[in-house]
Amino acid sequence: MPNVAFQIGTTTISPGARASVALPDSALPDHTPVDLRVEVVNVRRTGPTMFVSAAVHGDEVIGVEIVRRLLRAPQLDKLRGTLLVVPIVNSFGFLARSRYLPDRRDLNCCFPGSSAGSLGSRLAHIFLNEVVLRCDYGIDLHSAAIHRTNLPQIRVTPGDSTTARMARAFGAPVILTSPLRDGSLRGEAAERGTPVLLYEAGEGLRLDEFAVRAGVAGILRVMRDQGMIAAKGISRARSPSLVCRSSQWLRAPSGGLLRTFRAEGDVVAEGDVLAAVSDPAGGTESELLALKPGILIGRAVLPVVNEGDAVFHLAELSPKADEDTVDALTA
């Protein structure tokens, strides 16, 4: 069936056309306009409407590189349906190289937002209503916070069969069940009937080639699974994703210099030594042990820690997981 024209803001995109649409958001104190820019691919053949968004947190630049490559993917030439891509949701944070908005609010705590609220509330309102709620589903791209790094992973809502199917199609090394949080994009979208997959990979303010490639490939696999593109030219995941139903942060037992002995993607056993923290003079040393078996899905990258700082993010593995499986996934 032929597709129909797609209108966003004051712009109408005809079937078979692509357009870059600027949705007025706000202005800097010097009155430089700030827009929410949406790249729209509206093809001639009917199909689902999907969004991909990046930089809800301004310092998470890996998602920006993923969508840049996605928009250049040749598979989009034979797309079915409509694709909305927002390369940078939080322009204020992106320009300042900051996770937050100028008033130190976290945009991912501002949903559903309001047209008369704070800066973050207004931006959340525009993004939610002009983009997210007009789609059948979406993928929101994130990385770890600054000074941490994440193994590529998908976060899914407990009991949600739609995001579970999307996650399996994506093919990231790990799928982690993660409860919805009040004020988040994923939580608000789910409440309104739009399932959103959350991709986490890499480090804030850094590009990681493995994380970028895994993100692009995963998005294309989801689009293939939803009938938006053909299978030709899309690689299959090397192994099924490992499903983890819970996780916890392991924290520094004392302050000092951190030496890590394991990395993200490593499978560990209960009691394994993951890191050591020493005082600068070398007089004392404390070991950080794995409290249970699992896979390390994130870690701190700074060598200086305070007592209680999060050092390793450990997710519980299914009993059938082994190191060979993880090596195949992360190679």
Side-chain angles (χ1 to χ4, degrees):
M1 294 178 59
N3 206 353
V4 297
F6 188 87
Q7 183 168 346
I8 181 169
T10 60
T11 303
T12 300
I13 300 95
S14 301
R18 295 175 65 151
S20 181
V21 180
L23 300 176
D25 173 21
S26 182
L28 300 177
D30 66 355
H31 282 214
T32 300
V34 178
D35 300 320
L36 181 69
R37 188 160 295 276
V38 185
E39 306 297 323
V40 182
V41 184
N42 190 41
V43 297
R44 296 185 183 279
R45 294 174 295 179
T46 189
T49 300
M50 169 182 170
F51 79 87
V52 180
S53 57
V56 166
H57 296 127
D59 62 350
E60 297 181 352
V61 298
I62 280 179
V64 183
E65 175 63 11
I66 290 173
V67 299
R68 184 192 71 82
R69 296 190 193 186
L70 174 66
L71 288 166
R72 295 165 59 91
Q75 289 87 350
L76 298 191
D77 293 338
K78 297 183 179 180
L79 179 72
R80 292 180 180 271
T82 304
L83 177 65
L84 307 182
V85 177
V86 185
I88 302 169
V89 180
N90 180 2
S91 295
F92 300 94
F94 183 81
L95 293 173
R97 299 177 178 84
S98 169
R99 178 181 180 87
Y100 302 107
L101 293 157
D103 61 1
R104 298 295 298 169
R105 279 185 168 89
D106 183 334
L107 179 58
N108 209 27
C109 297
C110 293
F111 291 90
S114 165
S115 60
S118 66
L119 177 63
S121 183
R122 294 173 191 228
L123 176 54
H125 177 79
I126 293 170
F127 178 45
L128 182 69
N129 289 280
E130 291 286 352
V131 177
V132 176
L133 297 184
R134 304 184 62 193
C135 296
D136 298 301
Y137 51 89
I139 301 175
D140 190 30
L141 306 174
H142 289 261
S143 73
I146 189 171
H147 305 320
R148 293 180 184 172
T149 189
N150 279 339
L151 179 73
Q153 59 196 260
I154 289 292
R155 306 283 177 89
V156 298
T157 306
D160 184 343
S161 59
T162 301
T163 55
R165 172 174 173 166
M166 292 169 64
R168 287 192 296 271
F170 195 104
V174 166
I175 298 172
L176 177 62
T177 302
S178 177
L180 297 173
R181 180 167 48 83
D182 289 343
S184 69
L185 167 62
R186 189 165 64 102
E188 186 62 29
E191 189 172 316
R192 305 283 194 96
T194 301
V196 174
L197 207 62
L198 192 150
Y199 176 65
E200 285 271 5
E203 181 184 353
L205 295 179
R206 298 287 186 272
L207 293 183
D208 178 286
E209 186 64 20
F210 172 57
V212 171
R213 290 186 180 184
V216 176
I219 294 168
L220 292 175
R221 291 186 195 115
V222 172
M223 295 175 70
R224 178 193 64 196
D225 185 67
Q226 296 293 335
M228 296 184 73
I229 55 177
K232 184 178 180 181
I234 300 175
S235 62
R236 292 187 177 275
R238 296 188 181 187
S239 300
S241 303
L242 300 176
V243 178
C244 301
R245 303 194 183 278
S246 65
S247 67
Q248 67 180 117
W249 277 98
L250 307 179
R251 300 184 177 275
S254 61
L257 298 178
L258 173 71
R259 306 192 324 276
T260 56
F261 308 136
R262 308 301 292 262
E264 65 277 14
D266 284 357
V267 172
V268 298
E270 182 178 353
D272 281 357
V273 179
L274 307 182
V277 181
S278 307
D279 75 88
T284 62
E285 182 168 290
S286 303
E287 292 182 336
L288 178 63
L289 307 180
L291 302 180
K292 58 184 179 181
I295 179 173
L296 300 176
I297 61 172
R299 64 180 176 89
V301 297
L302 279 184
V304 179
V305 294
N306 291 301
E307 183 175 344
D309 281 354
V311 176
F312 280 106
H313 195 186
L314 178 67
E316 185 178 357
L317 278 172
S318 91
K320 295 183 179 180
D322 56 37
E323 289 199 39
D324 292 337
T325 305
V326 178
D327 288 344
L329 285 163
T330 58

